[in-house]
Amino acid sequence: ILTILGNSAVLATAVKRSSLLKSPELLTVNLAVADIGMAISMYPLAIASAWNHAWLGGDASCVYYALMGFLFGVCSMMTLCAMAVIRFLVTNSSKSNSNKITKNTVRVLITFIWLYSLLWAILPLVGWGYYGPEPFGISCTIAWSKFHNSSNGFSFILSMFLLCTVLPALTIVACYLGIAWKVHKAYQEIQNIDRIPNAAKLEKKLTLMAVLISVGFLSSWTPYAAASFWSIFNSSDSLQPIVTLLPCLFAKSSTAYNPFIYYIFSKTFRREIKQLQCCCGWQVHFFSTNNSAENPVSMMWSG
């Protein structure tokens, strides 16, 4: 419910402000699409299976569920990676160079992200890797337990970990460390000035928001990745069902975090949410809805 309501609000805000969206904000919209897609395509089936105390639908629905999870999961990871790279380029480039990141460029990047994610999602269907039920039996994913005795499966999971998890995660960390260093140097240069320029404060705020989005995703999926990696080299029976269930649930909760982060850090998003609430008949007090009153730079990454 939180995922669908929160990300629907993000998408509604993006549609309403479509003419004002900056090119990097399209990645924020793409992230919301991936999150809400995961919730709609997967969660109802998992909830029904939980109530049934067993997986519903047989092998076909298991493959469907696992494919959707892999598709949207990789898409989210690669979108966060692209956000970090573009944020790094914008932070470390002059204003004229940062403007070269056009909407068409980002649209091409988003298309590549979806094609890349789809490629990895269909590979188990064509014989490289496998899909199967989770050890606790009420959801499906990559069949981790088959990899410790299968060269086919092991090569797939190793490649997937490197190209869809480790490399994007290292890229995200490197980009935000570079941004943090840039912001630190900027603050050192103005430390003798009594008043810190608004641009420097805004840069720090936008960077913190982007970092929290990435940290929320990575921290949510890390326990699941650890449990899955354990299953590669050990029998899944060596872990209690609750040990495999909790990381899975925690990973899926990652789809609900981002709208709350946007609400805390973005004045634009808060203002638009209040307008949506008023349109729904809720009595909410707000002062202004004039988007032009906000610094245009603050629109970026506001979702």
Side-chain angles (χ1 to χ4, degrees):
I1 292 173
L2 289 176
T3 297
I4 293 175
L5 291 180
N7 288 287
S8 294
V10 173
L11 295 179
T13 300
V15 170
K16 187 177 180 181
R17 297 182 56 251
S18 58
S19 61
L20 299 174
L21 287 178
K22 305 297 182 182
S23 53
E25 287 182 298
L26 296 177
L27 290 170
T28 304
V29 175
N30 192 57
L31 189 60
V33 170
D35 287 343
I36 201 171
M38 181 178 287
I40 293 174
S41 65
M42 298 171 59
Y43 296 172
L45 187 55
I47 293 170
S49 297
W51 282 104
N52 188 56
H53 299 282
W55 180 252
L56 294 174
D59 293 341
S61 64
C62 184
V63 170
Y64 159 79
Y65 184 95
L67 186 146
M68 291 294 104
F70 199 16
L71 171 66
F72 291 121
V74 174
C75 180
S76 296
M77 185 65 168
M78 300 310 298
T79 300
L80 290 172
C81 182
M83 289 172 64
V85 171
I86 291 181
R87 189 86 190 97
F88 177 81
L89 295 176
V90 170
T91 303
N92 289 273
S93 301
S94 62
K95 185 176 180 180
S96 59
N97 289 332
S98 64
N99 290 334
K100 293 181 180 179
I101 303 176
T102 64
K103 284 188 176 181
N104 286 335
T105 301
V106 177
R107 289 190 185 102
V108 171
L109 180 58
I110 290 174
T111 301
F112 171 78
I113 288 173
W114 280 103
L115 291 176
Y116 183 81
S117 304
L118 182 61
L119 172 63
W120 280 100
I122 64 176
L123 284 175
L125 301 181
V126 297
W128 193 29
Y130 313 94
Y131 286 136
E134 299 269 17
F136 50 86
I138 57 173
S139 70
C140 295
T141 184
I142 298 171
W144 307 100
S145 59
K146 293 185 178 181
F147 296 154
H148 68 281
N149 57 3
S150 168
S151 58
N152 182 327
F154 184 79
S155 63
F156 172 77
I157 194 60
L158 183 62
S159 301
M160 186 274 291
F161 257 112
L162 290 175
L163 299 178
C164 298
T165 304
V166 176
L167 186 59
L170 290 177
T171 302
I172 290 171
V173 171
C175 286
Y176 287 131
L177 285 177
I179 293 172
W181 177 253
K182 177 75 173 181
V183 173
H184 172 70
K185 296 296 289 184
Y187 267 73
Q188 278 189 330
E189 293 174 0
I190 60 177
Q191 62 182 349
N192 295 325
I193 304 177
D194 293 335
R195 185 177 181 181
I196 299 176
N198 289 333
K201 293 180 180 179
L202 178 60
E203 187 69 29
K204 184 177 180 180
K205 180 179 179 180
L206 296 177
T207 300
L208 180 59
M209 184 179 75
V211 168
L212 286 177
I213 293 171
S214 298
V215 168
F217 183 87
L218 293 175
S219 61
S220 297
W221 281 92
T222 297
Y224 181 77
S228 300
F229 204 73
W230 171 271
S231 299
I232 298 175
F233 302 101
N234 301 274
S235 172
S236 58
D237 296 335
S238 61
L239 295 175
Q240 294 294 324
I242 192 67
V243 177
T244 57
L245 173 62
L246 290 180
C248 182
L249 296 178
F250 191 48
K252 289 179 171 62
S253 71
S254 65
T255 58
Y257 300 155
N258 294 340
F260 292 98
I261 297 174
Y262 302 147
Y263 191 85
I264 293 171
F265 284 90
S266 172
K267 292 181 180 178
T268 302
F269 186 58
R270 287 199 298 271
R271 185 164 57 236
E272 295 293 343
I273 289 297
K274 290 174 182 179
Q275 287 183 334
L276 289 174
Q277 289 174 337
C278 289
C279 291
C280 293
W282 300 341
Q283 297 296 323
V284 181
H285 176 74
F286 62 99
F287 294 99
S288 173
T289 60
N290 183 8
N291 288 331
S292 63
E294 188 175 355
N295 188 321
V297 182
S298 67
M299 301 287 185
M300 189 172 295
W301 299 105
S302 64

